[in-house]
PDB file of all heavy atoms in Angstrom:
ATOM      1  N   ALA O  52      23.039  -1.398 -11.515  1.00 94.00           N
ATOM      2  CA  ALA O  52      21.763  -1.741 -10.893  1.00 94.00           C
ATOM      3  C   ALA O  52      21.076  -0.465 -10.425  1.00 94.00           C
ATOM      4  O   ALA O  52      21.743   0.523 -10.094  1.00 94.00           O
ATOM      5  CB  ALA O  52      21.969  -2.680  -9.702  1.00 94.00           C
ATOM      6  N   THR O  53      19.741  -0.481 -10.408  1.00 95.00           N
ATOM      7  CA  THR O  53      19.002   0.674  -9.923  1.00 95.00           C
ATOM      8  C   THR O  53      17.696   0.236  -9.294  1.00 95.00           C
ATOM      9  O   THR O  53      17.162  -0.835  -9.611  1.00 95.00           O
ATOM     10  CB  THR O  53      18.722   1.687 -11.053  1.00 95.00           C
ATOM     11  OG1 THR O  53      17.992   2.790 -10.514  1.00 95.00           O
ATOM     12  CG2 THR O  53      17.907   1.060 -12.172  1.00 95.00           C
ATOM     13  N   ALA O  54      17.204   1.064  -8.375  1.00 95.00           N
ATOM     14  CA  ALA O  54      15.881   0.857  -7.781  1.00 95.00           C
ATOM     15  C   ALA O  54      15.381   2.215  -7.300  1.00 95.00           C
ATOM     16  O   ALA O  54      16.175   3.070  -6.915  1.00 95.00           O
ATOM     17  CB  ALA O  54      15.949  -0.127  -6.621  1.00 95.00           C
ATOM     18  N   SER O  55      14.054   2.400  -7.355  1.00 94.00           N
ATOM     19  CA  SER O  55      13.450   3.662  -6.933  1.00 94.00           C
ATOM     20  C   SER O  55      12.339   3.384  -5.946  1.00 94.00           C
ATOM     21  O   SER O  55      11.914   2.245  -5.780  1.00 94.00           O
ATOM     22  CB  SER O  55      12.852   4.392  -8.140  1.00 94.00           C
ATOM     23  OG  SER O  55      13.810   4.576  -9.138  1.00 94.00           O
ATOM     24  N   ALA O  56      11.865   4.453  -5.310  1.00 94.00           N
ATOM     25  CA  ALA O  56      10.710   4.305  -4.431  1.00 94.00           C
ATOM     26  C   ALA O  56       9.794   5.505  -4.569  1.00 94.00           C
ATOM     27  O   ALA O  56      10.249   6.633  -4.765  1.00 94.00           O
ATOM     28  CB  ALA O  56      11.156   4.155  -2.978  1.00 94.00           C
ATOM     29  N   ALA O  57       8.498   5.236  -4.501  1.00 90.00           N
ATOM     30  CA  ALA O  57       7.475   6.277  -4.419  1.00 90.00           C
ATOM     31  C   ALA O  57       6.596   5.912  -3.239  1.00 90.00           C
ATOM     32  O   ALA O  57       5.978   4.852  -3.241  1.00 90.00           O
ATOM     33  CB  ALA O  57       6.655   6.342  -5.703  1.00 90.00           C
ATOM     34  N   GLY O  58       6.601   6.751  -2.209  1.00 89.00           N
ATOM     35  CA  GLY O  58       5.893   6.384  -0.985  1.00 89.00           C
ATOM     36  C   GLY O  58       6.497   5.115  -0.436  1.00 89.00           C
ATOM     37  O   GLY O  58       7.719   5.032  -0.275  1.00 89.00           O
ATOM     38  N   ASN O  59       5.672   4.090  -0.180  1.00 92.00           N
ATOM     39  CA  ASN O  59       6.218   2.834   0.337  1.00 92.00           C
ATOM     40  C   ASN O  59       6.275   1.752  -0.742  1.00 92.00           C
ATOM     41  O   ASN O  59       6.265   0.573  -0.444  1.00 92.00           O
ATOM     42  CB  ASN O  59       5.417   2.347   1.556  1.00 92.00           C
ATOM     43  CG  ASN O  59       3.981   2.000   1.198  1.00 92.00           C
ATOM     44  OD1 ASN O  59       3.481   2.382   0.148  1.00 92.00           O
ATOM     45  ND2 ASN O  59       3.320   1.276   2.072  1.00 92.00           N
ATOM     46  N   VAL O  60       6.345   2.181  -2.010  1.00 92.00           N
ATOM     47  CA  VAL O  60       6.380   1.216  -3.110  1.00 92.00           C
ATOM     48  C   VAL O  60       7.723   1.303  -3.832  1.00 92.00           C
ATOM     49  O   VAL O  60       8.120   2.379  -4.278  1.00 92.00           O
ATOM     50  CB  VAL O  60       5.238   1.482  -4.116  1.00 92.00           C
ATOM     51  CG1 VAL O  60       5.219   0.379  -5.173  1.00 92.00           C
ATOM     52  CG2 VAL O  60       3.909   1.565  -3.415  1.00 92.00           C
ATOM     53  N   ILE O  61       8.414   0.160  -3.934  1.00 94.00           N
ATOM     54  CA  ILE O  61       9.675   0.100  -4.681  1.00 94.00           C
ATOM     55  C   ILE O  61       9.330  -0.086  -6.153  1.00 94.00           C
ATOM     56  O   ILE O  61       8.486  -0.912  -6.508  1.00 94.00           O
ATOM     57  CB  ILE O  61      10.553  -1.060  -4.194  1.00 94.00           C
ATOM     58  CG1 ILE O  61      10.941  -0.842  -2.734  1.00 94.00           C
ATOM     59  CG2 ILE O  61      11.801  -1.198  -5.061  1.00 94.00           C
ATOM     60  CD1 ILE O  61      11.765  -1.975  -2.156  1.00 94.00           C
ATOM     61  N   GLN O  62       9.963   0.694  -7.014  1.00 88.00           N
ATOM     62  CA  GLN O  62       9.662   0.622  -8.437  1.00 88.00           C
ATOM     63  C   GLN O  62      10.947   0.657  -9.252  1.00 88.00           C
ATOM     64  O   GLN O  62      11.998   1.017  -8.746  1.00 88.00           O
ATOM     65  CB  GLN O  62       8.775   1.810  -8.846  1.00 88.00           C
ATOM     66  CG  GLN O  62       7.422   1.779  -8.154  1.00 88.00           C
ATOM     67  CD  GLN O  62       6.594   2.997  -8.488  1.00 88.00           C
ATOM     68  OE1 GLN O  62       7.134   4.051  -8.792  1.00 88.00           O
ATOM     69  NE2 GLN O  62       5.288   2.866  -8.435  1.00 88.00           N
ATOM     70  N   TYR O  63      10.800   0.337 -10.527  1.00 88.00           N
ATOM     71  CA  TYR O  63      11.909   0.442 -11.485  1.00 88.00           C
ATOM     72  C   TYR O  63      13.188  -0.225 -10.993  1.00 88.00           C
ATOM     73  O   TYR O  63      14.236   0.394 -10.918  1.00 88.00           O
ATOM     74  CB  TYR O  63      12.196   1.908 -11.825  1.00 88.00           C
ATOM     75  CG  TYR O  63      11.028   2.581 -12.468  1.00 88.00           C
ATOM     76  CD1 TYR O  63      10.412   3.681 -11.886  1.00 88.00           C
ATOM     77  CD2 TYR O  63      10.523   2.095 -13.664  1.00 88.00           C
ATOM     78  CE1 TYR O  63       9.327   4.282 -12.470  1.00 88.00           C
ATOM     79  CE2 TYR O  63       9.433   2.693 -14.258  1.00 88.00           C
ATOM     80  CZ  TYR O  63       8.841   3.790 -13.660  1.00 88.00           C
ATOM     81  OH  TYR O  63       7.767   4.369 -14.240  1.00 88.00           O
ATOM     82  N   VAL O  64      13.056  -1.475 -10.618  1.00 91.00           N
ATOM     83  CA  VAL O  64      14.231  -2.228 -10.209  1.00 91.00           C
ATOM     84  C   VAL O  64      14.855  -2.836 -11.459  1.00 91.00           C
ATOM     85  O   VAL O  64      14.179  -3.507 -12.230  1.00 91.00           O
ATOM     86  CB  VAL O  64      13.859  -3.350  -9.217  1.00 91.00           C
ATOM     87  CG1 VAL O  64      15.093  -4.162  -8.853  1.00 91.00           C
ATOM     88  CG2 VAL O  64      13.202  -2.755  -7.990  1.00 91.00           C
ATOM     89  N   GLY O  65      16.116  -2.546 -11.672  1.00 90.00           N
ATOM     90  CA  GLY O  65      16.814  -3.130 -12.806  1.00 90.00           C
ATOM     91  C   GLY O  65      18.214  -3.538 -12.379  1.00 90.00           C
ATOM     92  O   GLY O  65      18.929  -2.753 -11.757  1.00 90.00           O
ATOM     93  N   VAL O  66      18.598  -4.782 -12.678  1.00 91.00           N
ATOM     94  CA  VAL O  66      19.922  -5.258 -12.282  1.00 91.00           C
ATOM     95  C   VAL O  66      20.579  -5.954 -13.468  1.00 91.00           C
ATOM     96  O   VAL O  66      20.009  -6.871 -14.051  1.00 91.00           O
ATOM     97  CB  VAL O  66      19.833  -6.249 -11.097  1.00 91.00           C
ATOM     98  CG1 VAL O  66      21.216  -6.732 -10.709  1.00 91.00           C
ATOM     99  CG2 VAL O  66      19.135  -5.608  -9.909  1.00 91.00           C
ATOM    100  N   ASN O  67      21.766  -5.483 -13.802  1.00 90.00           N
ATOM    101  CA  ASN O  67      22.550  -6.124 -14.849  1.00 90.00           C
ATOM    102  C   ASN O  67      23.398  -7.215 -14.205  1.00 90.00           C
ATOM    103  O   ASN O  67      24.301  -6.919 -13.426  1.00 90.00           O
ATOM    104  CB  ASN O  67      23.436  -5.056 -15.518  1.00 90.00           C
ATOM    105  CG  ASN O  67      24.335  -5.662 -16.573  1.00 90.00           C
ATOM    106  OD1 ASN O  67      24.431  -6.883 -16.691  1.00 90.00           O
ATOM    107  ND2 ASN O  67      24.985  -4.812 -17.333  1.00 90.00           N
ATOM    108  N   ASN O  68      23.094  -8.477 -14.533  1.00 84.00           N
ATOM    109  CA  ASN O  68      23.779  -9.588 -13.862  1.00 84.00           C
ATOM    110  C   ASN O  68      24.922 -10.189 -14.663  1.00 84.00           C
ATOM    111  O   ASN O  68      25.424 -11.256 -14.328  1.00 84.00           O
ATOM    112  CB  ASN O  68      22.776 -10.689 -13.510  1.00 84.00           C
ATOM    113  CG  ASN O  68      22.155 -10.434 -12.145  1.00 84.00           C
ATOM    114  OD1 ASN O  68      22.830  -9.963 -11.236  1.00 84.00           O
ATOM    115  ND2 ASN O  68      20.872 -10.711 -12.028  1.00 84.00           N
ATOM    116  N   GLU O  69      25.333  -9.476 -15.729  1.00 79.00           N
ATOM    117  CA  GLU O  69      26.424 -10.006 -16.554  1.00 79.00           C
ATOM    118  C   GLU O  69      27.674 -10.235 -15.720  1.00 79.00           C
ATOM    119  O   GLU O  69      28.017  -9.433 -14.867  1.00 79.00           O
ATOM    120  CB  GLU O  69      26.756  -9.005 -17.675  1.00 79.00           C
ATOM    121  CG  GLU O  69      26.076  -9.371 -18.986  1.00 79.00           C
ATOM    122  CD  GLU O  69      26.249  -8.265 -19.998  1.00 79.00           C
ATOM    123  OE1 GLU O  69      27.378  -7.757 -20.125  1.00 79.00           O
ATOM    124  OE2 GLU O  69      25.251  -7.903 -20.627  1.00 79.00           O
ATOM    125  N   ASP O  70      28.392 -11.271 -16.021  1.00 68.00           N
ATOM    126  CA  ASP O  70      29.603 -11.706 -15.314  1.00 68.00           C
ATOM    127  C   ASP O  70      29.576 -11.381 -13.821  1.00 68.00           C
ATOM    128  O   ASP O  70      30.418 -10.689 -13.292  1.00 68.00           O
ATOM    129  CB  ASP O  70      30.900 -11.136 -15.951  1.00 68.00           C
ATOM    130  CG  ASP O  70      30.776  -9.671 -16.348  1.00 68.00           C
ATOM    131  OD1 ASP O  70      30.792  -8.811 -15.450  1.00 68.00           O
ATOM    132  OD2 ASP O  70      30.616  -9.408 -17.550  1.00 68.00           O
ATOM    133  N   GLN O  71      28.583 -11.907 -13.154  1.00 67.00           N
ATOM    134  CA  GLN O  71      28.383 -11.628 -11.734  1.00 67.00           C
ATOM    135  C   GLN O  71      27.860 -12.848 -11.025  1.00 67.00           C
ATOM    136  O   GLN O  71      27.135 -13.647 -11.616  1.00 67.00           O
ATOM    137  CB  GLN O  71      27.322 -10.527 -11.577  1.00 67.00           C
ATOM    138  CG  GLN O  71      27.877  -9.171 -11.298  1.00 67.00           C
ATOM    139  CD  GLN O  71      28.542  -9.130  -9.963  1.00 67.00           C
ATOM    140  OE1 GLN O  71      27.944  -9.494  -8.957  1.00 67.00           O
ATOM    141  NE2 GLN O  71      29.790  -8.701  -9.930  1.00 67.00           N
ATOM    142  N   VAL O  72      28.193 -12.969  -9.755  1.00 69.00           N
ATOM    143  CA  VAL O  72      27.535 -13.968  -8.927  1.00 69.00           C
ATOM    144  C   VAL O  72      26.066 -13.568  -8.896  1.00 69.00           C
ATOM    145  O   VAL O  72      25.753 -12.450  -8.496  1.00 69.00           O
ATOM    146  CB  VAL O  72      28.090 -13.958  -7.494  1.00 69.00           C
ATOM    147  CG1 VAL O  72      27.405 -15.028  -6.675  1.00 69.00           C
ATOM    148  CG2 VAL O  72      29.584 -14.120  -7.513  1.00 69.00           C
TER     149      VAL O  72
END
Side-chain angles (χ1 to χ4, degrees):
Chain O
T53 180
S55 305
N59 64 344
V60 186
I61 297 178
Q62 296 176 333
Y63 298 119
V64 177
V66 180
N67 177 351
N68 272 323
E69 262 171 45
D70 42 74
Q71 259 294 307
V72 181

